[in-house]
């Protein structure tokens, strides 16, 4: 079977890792070809190409005619490729291969909202949207990007083109979601088949951490962006008397300067250190050797953060926001302490519970085999075969 994998980027974040892992995991079973818009993240200089990319529309059609896949598996398209690729796929299905099936992995909220992170801004402050998806006309009255009115408008227009003009939902035959949270969200706006399949990681035997008599070693891992909630979380930490921890922030992003400023102004440099980016394989070893707690204070509804699973697999406890897929994933992993990211009282309480728990050396680790590469391979293969039989 021929499978064409499509994604905006080759290297960026969690979605890109799943895209690369899918290619690696399935390559022995299927004939795989991949198409990416860009190796790494870059901004579109032409707003019209962001709305509807004619170059990628033509290039995708050329790849389809040459490769003639039976499955087209799309991971992300909104940053670089645009909704134009769905128009190209529709025409290919009509003219050349009516039996080809389109699978889409929902790594974010793009199908149901112009804001892939599913939040809006009011007076430059981020607010998650309601779990009941608003009508698209309501969303068009919201500020969905904090950079400028133009950025917000472009997001809305691209979503309108994709969902109301190209009608990408009619092109997709099957949606895969990495969490039940995202499955329930997309069911509000998509009537086709949706399957929940967990994102894969390399699972190791998790060992119990030794009881730590010194400060708890905590780590944040990920993109330094507004929705990750680090600025607010650090401000809350500065107001909490608890001193029994050291927090390393691992990653890069647009909020780096703001985070550095908070660390300096709130005198947190003795407890909080910024380490920048660390190569993934080195980071995985560092998690196991150096840390006891993974921290994720997101102020938006995340889908299925891989960092939590990878950290739990390395034996770390979880200290994170009680929002969306974060709660679902951390409940599966076990040893989790969840807080309201906007409440200092809640953060203080869960931080205290977490630090006290570490002193007992009795983690409540759950079985997380649903995240194994073999399980992912089996589930995705079955999904492909099932959709082809329809």
């Amino acid at each position: 079977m021929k499978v064409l994998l499509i994604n905006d980027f080759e290297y960026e974040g969690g979605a890109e890792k799943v895209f690369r892992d899918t290619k690696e995991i399935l390559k022995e079973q299927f004939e795989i070809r991949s198409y990416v818009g860009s190796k790494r993240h870059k901004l579109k200089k032409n707003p019209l190409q962001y709305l509807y990319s004619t170059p990628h529309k033509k290039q995708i059609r050329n790849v389809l005619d040459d490769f003639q896949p039976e499955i087209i598996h799309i991971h992300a398209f909104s940053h670089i490729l645009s909704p134009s690729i769905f128009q190209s796929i529709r025409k290919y299905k009509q003219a050349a291969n009516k039996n080809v099936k389109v699978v889409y992995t929902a790594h974010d909220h793009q199908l149901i909202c112009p804001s892939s992170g599913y939040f809006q801004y009011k007076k430059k402050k981020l607010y998650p949207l309601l779990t009941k998806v608003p009508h698209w006309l309501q969303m068009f009255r919201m500020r969905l990007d904090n950079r400028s009115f133009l950025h917000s408008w472009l997001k809305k227009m691209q979503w309108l083109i994709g969902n109301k003009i190209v009608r990408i939902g009619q092109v997709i035959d099957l949606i895969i979601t990495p969490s039940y949270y995202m499955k329930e969200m997309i069911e509000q706006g998509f009537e086709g088949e949706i399957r929940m399949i967990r994102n894969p990681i390399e699972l190791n035997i998790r060992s119990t951490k030794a009881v730590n008599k010194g400060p708890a070693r905590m780590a944040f891992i990920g993109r330094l962006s507004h929705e990750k909630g680090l600025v607010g979380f650090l401000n809350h930490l500065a107001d909490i008397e608890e001193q029994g921890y050291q927090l390393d922030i691992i990653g890069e992003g647009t909020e780096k300067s703001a985070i550095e400023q908070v660390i300096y102004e709130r005198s947190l440099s003795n407890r909080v250190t910024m380490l920048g980016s660390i190569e993934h394989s080195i980071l995985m070893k560092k998690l196991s050797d150096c840390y006891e707690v993974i921290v994720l204070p997101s102020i938006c509804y995340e889908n299925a953060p891989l960092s939590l699973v990878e950290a739990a697999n390395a034996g770390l406890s979880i200290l994170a926001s009680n929002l969306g897929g974060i709660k679902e994933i951390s409940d599966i992993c076990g040893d989790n302490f969840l807080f309201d990211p906007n409440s200092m009282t809640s953060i203080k309480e869960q931080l205290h519970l977490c630090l006290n728990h570490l002193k007992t050396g009795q983690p409540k680790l759950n079985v997380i085999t649903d995240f194994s590469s073999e399980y992912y391979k089996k589930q995705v293969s079955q999904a492909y075969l099932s959709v082809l039989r329809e």
Side-chain angles (χ1 to χ4, degrees):
M1 182 192 301
K2 293 182 178 181
V3 178
L4 176 64
L5 299 177
I6 298 175
N7 201 38
D8 272 329
F9 310 114
E10 186 81 30
Y11 302 96
E12 178 64 13
E16 286 65 46
K17 183 179 185 306
V18 175
F19 169 73
R20 298 193 307 273
D21 287 347
T22 301
K23 179 167 51 175
E24 186 67 23
I25 291 168
L26 299 181
K27 69 180 183 181
E28 294 182 0
Q29 188 171 359
F30 304 110
E31 184 179 350
I32 304 288
R33 185 178 295 188
S34 61
Y35 180 91
V36 295
S38 174
K39 286 292 182 182
R40 295 187 183 275
H41 187 275
K42 63 179 181 179
L43 296 176
K44 279 279 191 182
K45 295 182 179 180
N46 186 337
L48 293 179
Q49 294 303 321
Y50 169 79
L51 295 175
Y52 192 90
S53 174
T54 50
H56 285 299
K57 178 181 179 180
K58 293 176 182 178
Q59 291 168 25
I60 283 286
R61 180 56 192 265
N62 291 337
V63 172
L64 291 172
D65 287 335
D66 176 62
F67 186 52
Q68 298 182 16
E70 289 137 285
I71 295 288
I72 302 169
H73 188 167
I74 302 168
H75 284 259
F77 65 91
S78 63
H79 294 284
I80 296 288
L81 301 176
S82 86
S84 69
I85 65 167
F86 289 91
Q87 189 85 327
S88 190
I89 292 169
R90 173 185 274 121
K91 291 183 177 180
Y92 171 75
K93 291 177 75 171
Q94 292 171 344
N97 187 356
K98 294 180 180 180
N99 296 320
V100 67
K101 298 297 183 179
V102 179
V103 177
Y104 175 79
T105 293
H107 293 287
D108 54 34
H109 301 80
Q110 185 64 41
L111 287 185
I112 56 173
C113 179
S115 169
S116 60
Y118 202 64
F119 48 76
Q120 65 171 317
Y121 289 93
K122 296 179 182 178
K123 297 181 179 180
K124 296 190 176 182
K125 188 173 181 180
L126 184 151
Y127 294 89
L129 298 178
L130 302 174
T131 50
K132 178 175 170 52
V133 179
H135 190 275
W136 67 273
L137 287 174
Q138 289 178 281
M139 290 188 284
F140 266 64
R141 292 194 290 268
M142 300 173 182
R143 178 72 172 266
L144 300 180
D145 195 299
N146 200 34
R147 289 172 292 180
S148 70
F149 171 81
L150 177 60
H151 284 92
S152 180
W153 182 83
L154 286 171
K155 280 186 175 181
K156 297 171 188 177
M157 291 307 298
Q158 191 206 66
W159 189 89
L160 185 68
I161 290 169
N163 287 271
K164 302 302 179 181
I165 298 175
V166 175
R167 296 187 179 275
I168 61 180
Q170 295 179 0
V171 181
I172 298 170
D173 298 291
L174 169 67
I175 292 176
I176 292 173
T177 67
S179 66
Y180 285 112
Y181 158 75
M182 186 59 72
K183 182 175 186 290
E184 292 170 0
M185 292 296 289
I186 292 180
E187 283 174 343
Q188 297 182 55
F190 183 79
E191 296 180 355
E193 183 182 0
I194 304 174
R195 289 194 179 198
M196 198 289 297
I197 302 176
R198 303 289 184 194
N199 287 332
I201 70 163
E202 288 301 320
L203 293 177
N204 304 309
I205 298 175
R206 297 185 288 177
S207 59
T208 301
K209 296 281 186 180
V211 177
N212 177 28
K213 297 180 180 180
R217 299 159 298 182
M218 308 196 304
F220 167 89
I221 302 168
R223 185 175 63 255
L224 306 185
S225 53
H226 192 175
E227 66 273 13
K228 296 298 182 181
L230 277 168
V231 169
F233 181 72
L234 291 175
N235 273 311
H236 287 314
L237 284 185
D239 293 327
I240 296 173
E241 294 179 359
E242 181 67 63
Q243 300 285 318
Y245 64 87
Q246 292 286 333
L247 172 62
D248 288 347
I249 297 176
I250 301 169
E252 298 284 348
T254 56
E255 286 283 288
K256 180 178 180 180
S257 295
I259 294 167
E260 289 175 334
Q261 185 175 353
V262 172
I263 293 172
Y264 172 74
E265 291 180 350
R266 302 304 305 273
S267 301
L268 288 169
S269 57
N270 63 326
R271 286 182 280 163
V272 181
T273 306
M274 298 188 71
L275 299 183
S277 294
I278 298 177
E279 197 274 323
H280 187 264
S281 61
I282 298 173
L283 178 57
M284 290 302 100
K285 187 176 188 307
K286 190 175 179 69
L287 273 182
S288 180
D289 294 344
C290 302
Y291 297 108
E292 297 161 304
V293 182
I294 182 78
V295 176
L296 184 56
S298 294
I299 52 177
C300 67
Y301 298 107
E302 295 220 26
N303 181 2
L306 275 176
S307 61
L308 295 185
V309 187
E310 290 173 330
N313 185 55
L316 277 68
S317 300
I318 296 171
L319 180 66
S321 301
N322 190 12
L323 292 175
I326 295 176
K327 182 182 187 311
E328 177 182 336
I329 298 300
S330 61
D331 281 347
I332 293 171
C333 294
D335 212 11
N336 56 318
F337 301 86
L338 305 181
F339 54 79
D340 176 351
N342 297 308
S343 168
M344 186 187 73
T345 301
S346 178
I347 293 172
K348 179 180 179 180
E349 177 184 80
Q350 294 303 311
L351 175 62
H352 181 71
L353 289 173
C354 179
L355 297 183
N356 280 348
H357 175 72
L358 292 177
K359 295 174 183 178
T360 69
Q362 296 177 345
K364 48 178 182 179
L365 301 177
N366 297 332
V367 177
I368 55 174
T369 52
D370 284 4
F371 296 93
S372 72
S373 297
E374 281 302 313
Y375 189 78
Y376 180 80
K377 178 180 180 180
K378 177 182 177 181
Q379 293 297 311
V380 172
S381 300
Q382 289 178 351
Y384 286 172
L385 294 173
S386 175
V387 76
L388 281 173
R389 288 194 292 264
E390 294 178 355

